Amino acid sequence: MERYIITGGTRLHGLVEVCGAKNAVLPILAATLLSAETCVIHNVPQLQDVVLLVEILEYLGAKIKWEKKTLIVNASNINPTEVPEETMKKMRASNLVLGPLLSRFHSARAPFPGGCAIGSRPMDYHIKGLEQLGASIIEKYGNIEAYAHKLTGDTVYLDFPSVGATENIMMAATLAEGVTMIRNAAREPEIVDLALFLKSMGAKIEGAGSDNIQITGVAKLHGADHTVIPDRIVAGTYMLAAAITNGDLVLRNAVAEHVEPLTVKLRASGVIVSKNGKGLRVRGVPRVKSVDLKTMPYPGFPTDIQPQMMALMTVAQGTSVILENIFENRFKHADELRRMGANIIVEGRVAVVKGVKRLTGAMVEATDLRAGAALVLAGMAAEGITVIENIGHIDRGYHRLEQKYALLGARIVREKMPREEEQEIKQDGLSRDQQEKFPLISHKEMELNYKI
C-alpha cells in the first residue's frame, strides 16, 4: 500500500500538459475489436484502467504494442468467449467489450459488473439497447451472455443519457444491418471522439455530440489511426488546483469548450480563466467566493469534478450548496474533508458547504478516484501536513500525479506504507470512520516522521 504525504501552503505555477482522456481511450480501445486490421491510437495515458483493458484485450487474443504514448492494436485473432473474469471485475468500463464482440462475432460474454463506491451504474440501458437491435441476453452465474444471429438497426430510446450505454450501442450498431437511431443519447466529448474513431474505421455515424445519433451499418470496418482528445477531468483538476492554491497555471492542450461548465463557476467565484495560445491560463485569487452547483449530464457540470469543486468551496467566502444528480453516493469525500476542518453538512444528494479560512492537515483516505483528487487539492491548500491513504484509486485516473504537481511547486511525495503500520491496520480493522479511536498525529510529529 502507498500513500501521499503533502505539505500545504505553496502556490502552484507553471505550464503543464493535459494528458489523453481516460474516458475516451477506454471505449476506443474496445472498438478496436470491431476490425481484424491494425489500429494505431495516439495520446494514450498510462493509467491503471488503461492497463487493465489492455490485459483484457490481450486475454481475448489481441496483439498489442506500447510505443510511449501510442498503442498499436491488432484484433485479428479473437476468441469472444475467453473472458478474464477477475480482471474485468476490477474496472467498470470492461463492459464496453460487449457491443463490439456481439457485433463482430455474434456472441459475447462478460462478468456482470456490480456497483462502485460512488453509486450504482446499472447495465439495464446497455442490455435493453442491445436487445432492441436483436440480441438475446441471458444473465446467469454472475455473467452476461449475449447472442445475435444478426443485429438489425432500430430506434433505441435511453431513459437516461448513459455514456457507457450510448458507446456500447453505437459500437454494436456499426456492423448491424440497416439504420440505428439512438435517442436521448449522451453528448459528452468522449462520445464524439469515439464516433470520430469509428468513422475513421469506415463506420457511418451522424449526430454524435447531440442527443440523436444515427448509425448506418456497414459490412466491414478497417484499421485506423487516431489521436485521443485531452482529458477534460484532468484539466479541470489542474484548474481547481490553481484556484485553491491561489496559483497561476497554463494548461497546454486543454479544450476550452470541454471545460466550459467549470470555467463559468470558477469565474463566478473570482478566479481568472483565459484562453492561451497553448490552451488555458488559470489564475487564482487570495480567497474565492462561494458558488452553488448541481451536477448534470454534459454539457452540464460534470459529476467527476464535483469532489474537487467541493474542496475549493471548503475555503471559499460564504456558503455553497452542491446538488449531486448523477450518483447517489458521491459525497464520501465530505467526511474526509471534515477531518481537515471543513464545515460540510450532507443530506441525501445535497451538501451545504460553509467556507472556512483555512484547512488543516490530517490523515485521510481516498474512497474513490475523484474523491482522492479532491483530497490532494485540499492537502495542497491546508496548513501543515496531510497524509492520504489508499491512493490506488487516484492512480486509476491520474498517472504519477505527485510528479506532475511537484513540478508545479507542490510539496507532495509518494511513499510506501511501512509494513508494521499496514499490518496494524489489518489487525485492528481500522477505517477512517473509526479514526477517533486512536490519537491523531500532530503536525510536528508528521514533520519529524516524514522530514518534508
Side-chain angles (χ1 to χ4, degrees):
M1 296 175 65
E2 293 183 315
R3 59 190 177 189
Y4 283 144
I5 315 298
I6 304 173
T7 301
T10 60
R11 297 178 62 192
L12 300 191
H13 58 89
L15 183 147
V16 62
E17 183 172 348
V18 179
C19 65
K22 173 179 83 78
N23 291 333
V25 75
L26 294 178
I28 286 171
L29 268 175
T32 62
L33 293 169
L34 288 164
S35 174
E37 298 182 16
T38 298
C39 294
V40 181
I41 308 168
H42 305 285
N43 199 29
V44 177
Q46 295 180 342
L47 302 171
Q48 185 61 26
D49 275 7
V50 176
V51 172
L52 287 173
L53 189 53
V54 166
E55 288 181 9
I56 291 169
L57 297 185
E58 288 178 329
Y59 196 98
L60 290 167
K63 302 297 181 184
I64 301 178
K65 183 180 179 182
W66 282 89
E67 289 185 357
K68 296 182 179 180
K69 295 181 181 180
T70 296
L71 276 177
I72 303 170
V73 185
N74 184 282
S76 58
N77 187 22
I78 297 295
N79 184 342
T81 62
E82 288 292 329
V83 178
E85 293 191 15
E86 289 307 312
T87 304
M88 293 190 75
K89 287 177 180 178
K90 292 179 183 178
M91 60 177 302
R92 184 74 195 185
S94 62
N95 57 35
L96 291 173
V97 303
L98 277 174
L101 290 176
L102 182 63
S103 190
R104 180 179 166 195
F105 300 101
H106 309 292
S107 67
R109 183 170 67 89
F112 201 97
C116 62
I118 59 174
S120 62
R121 294 193 247 190
M123 284 290 293
D124 296 1
Y125 306 127
H126 302 245
I127 291 172
K128 289 179 182 178
L130 295 175
E131 286 178 334
Q132 192 73 32
L133 299 184
S136 297
I137 297 179
I138 303 171
E139 302 171 32
K140 63 179 182 180
Y141 308 122
N143 290 320
I144 299 173
E145 297 183 1
Y147 306 92
H149 176 67
K150 179 178 68 172
L151 290 180
T152 305
D154 202 345
T155 297
V156 177
Y157 179 82
L158 296 175
D159 293 330
F160 179 83
S162 162
V163 174
T166 300
E167 292 167 342
N168 239 335
I169 297 164
M170 186 163 62
M171 289 186 283
T174 57
L175 296 176
E177 185 178 287
V179 178
T180 297
M181 179 68 75
I182 306 175
R183 300 203 181 276
N184 197 30
R187 301 165 59 186
E188 275 74 0
E190 294 80 12
I191 297 288
V192 177
D193 206 34
L194 173 62
L196 290 173
F197 176 67
L198 292 170
K199 289 171 74 171
S200 68
M201 296 175 74
K204 296 181 179 179
I205 302 173
E206 298 177 3
S210 73
D211 56 2
N212 290 307
I213 302 176
Q214 179 177 299
I215 308 101
T216 302
V218 297
K220 183 180 179 182
L221 294 177
H222 52 71
D225 191 293
H226 182 79
T227 300
V228 176
I229 59 172
D231 195 312
R232 62 193 171 101
I233 306 303
V234 169
T237 305
Y238 282 129
M239 294 170 73
L240 286 161
I244 202 169
T245 65
N246 188 17
D248 186 351
L249 295 181
V250 174
L251 282 58
R252 189 199 302 271
N253 299 335
V255 181
E257 180 185 355
H258 293 175
V259 294
E260 186 174 2
L262 174 60
T263 297
V264 169
K265 293 297 181 182
L266 284 177
R267 285 175 175 161
S269 74
V271 176
I272 303 168
V273 183
S274 56
K275 291 186 179 180
N276 181 283
K278 299 180 176 63
L280 287 175
R281 184 180 180 185
V282 184
R283 287 173 285 174
V285 292
R287 192 177 185 191
V288 299
K289 295 177 290 187
S290 63
V291 293
D292 297 336
L293 66 96
K294 58 181 178 180
T295 63
M296 298 288 288
Y298 189 87
F301 194 92
T303 181
D304 280 353
I305 284 291
Q306 177 263 111
Q308 302 93 305
M309 187 69 180
M310 181 185 284
L312 176 63
M313 291 297 97
T314 63
V315 292
Q317 185 174 357
T319 299
S320 60
V321 178
I322 299 175
L323 175 60
E324 174 55 58
N325 284 310
I326 308 300
F327 294 117
E328 70 274 13
N329 197 23
R330 194 158 209 177
F331 283 141
K332 286 191 173 183
H333 48 282
D335 288 335
E336 304 304 306
L337 290 170
R338 276 195 287 259
R339 299 182 196 284
M340 302 178 70
N343 186 342
I344 306 170
I345 298 174
V346 174
E347 185 65 41
R349 291 177 178 262
V350 179
V352 179
V353 186
K354 185 176 181 180
V356 297
K357 288 187 177 180
R358 67 179 62 84
L359 299 174
T360 55
M363 294 187 69
V364 292
E365 178 183 13
T367 55
D368 60 74
L369 167 54
R370 307 305 175 184
L375 294 176
V376 170
L377 300 189
M380 290 190 296
E383 181 181 275
I385 295 177
T386 298
V387 179
I388 305 176
E389 296 177 353
N390 207 17
I391 63 173
H393 284 302
I394 300 174
D395 292 337
R396 290 183 46 237
Y398 301 89
H399 180 247
R400 286 293 174 181
L401 175 149
E402 74 282 358
Q403 295 179 4
K404 295 175 182 177
Y405 278 87
L407 290 173
L408 299 174
R411 290 182 288 176
I412 175 173
V413 295
R414 174 190 291 253
E415 74 156 27
K416 190 171 182 63
M417 183 181 293
R419 188 177 299 274
E420 59 271 17
E421 290 187 32
E422 188 174 332
Q423 187 63 27
E424 181 182 348
I425 289 175
K426 289 180 180 179
Q427 289 174 352
D428 293 345
L430 296 173
S431 67
R432 293 281 73 88
D433 292 334
Q434 299 164 318
Q435 192 168 352
E436 65 275 7
K437 293 184 179 180
F438 58 90
L440 294 174
I441 299 175
S442 70
H443 297 318
K444 287 187 176 180
E445 288 174 317
M446 285 185 181
E447 289 171 356
L448 289 172
N449 288 339
Y450 301 117
K451 297 182 177 61
I452 296 181

